[in-house]
Amino acid sequence: MNPFILSALLLLAAAALLLSLVIRRQLAMRNVVGRLGGHTHGNVLDTFSKNVVSSSSKLFDGEVIQLLNQLGLRKARHRTSFFIVQIGLPLVLALLVVVSQSMGADQAESDESMFWLILLFALGIGYLIPKRLLAKAAKGRQERLAVEVSTMIPLLRMLFEVGMTVEQSLRVLATSGDKILPELTIELKHALSRVDVGLELGEELRNTAFLMQVDELTDTFTILEQLIHQGGGGMSSLLSLKEMIDDRRMTTLQERVSKMSAKMSIVMMVFLFPALLIILAGPGFIAIIQALGDMG
């Protein structure tokens, strides 16, 4: 048997054995706690997720943690799932490279260096792809949050006009705004759940804005925090913020339209100019060719 395939199979067997030992250990601990009259919270997967995250938290860089939080994936099992994907995908790609190498024909010794280069490339790509996809998903969610903020501000103003406080207005949006503000309601529910256990609302809004890294959300939560500490007088600030956000969005749309017009001009030159040249200059070229033919 090819030594590469043998090493890959041994690696997979060792990983499966390690996973089975960890699960058996978790089951044994749950049985001991149950016999002692204690309470076991969650299932084996949740317990395993917490242990993996607590023991391997140093393997995550700060950017990955921040991206997961920006996507709303704050539980231990979410981080464990991403950790498994980020570690497992390079191994799978490396295994595919090894299998494809072994199934090929006999190669010269000069191709061995190329094989190791492809193997290292597969490992690197497999490790970077999950993080890049995570960053792209987080950026898309930030854009959706920015759009939803412009819808949330008029709703807050209406709720303030009927006499509600900041906390009451946010609770109404969190409970009744799932269809209108799907992304914002998730963050509001998370912040309000922390307020229910005794934390301060303004501080939670500030932490949420710092975590999301969305300018529109940061400005809105800053005004709400000022309303919490200073009381009324925030209607004009919210109106000014709404106008500023609309102007910012209009400027962004104008920039996109200008860039799109430049791209479309290139497309027209590539595809329309040859057809236009054939239609306008084609008869002249044909007449010239016929005249040269008659002269010959």
Side-chain angles (χ1 to χ4, degrees), residues 45 49 53 60 76-86:
L45 180 59
S49 301
V53 171
F60 289 105
R77 57 187 178 89
H78 295 149
R79 298 183 181 182
T80 303
S81 301
F82 180 79
F83 175 76
I84 293 174
V85 171
Q86 194 174 27

Side-chain angles (χ1 to χ4, degrees), residues 12-32:
L12 291 177
L17 180 60
L18 180 61
L19 182 61
S20 64
L21 290 176
V22 172
I23 293 176
R24 288 179 59 184
R25 180 174 176 271
Q26 296 299 328
L27 289 174
M29 291 178 61
R30 288 171 61 88
N31 293 331
V32 171

Side-chain angles (χ1 to χ4, degrees), residues 87-101:
I87 298 300
L89 185 59
L91 296 178
V92 171
L93 293 179
L95 181 61
L96 291 177
V97 171
V98 171
V99 171
S100 62
Q101 175 73 13

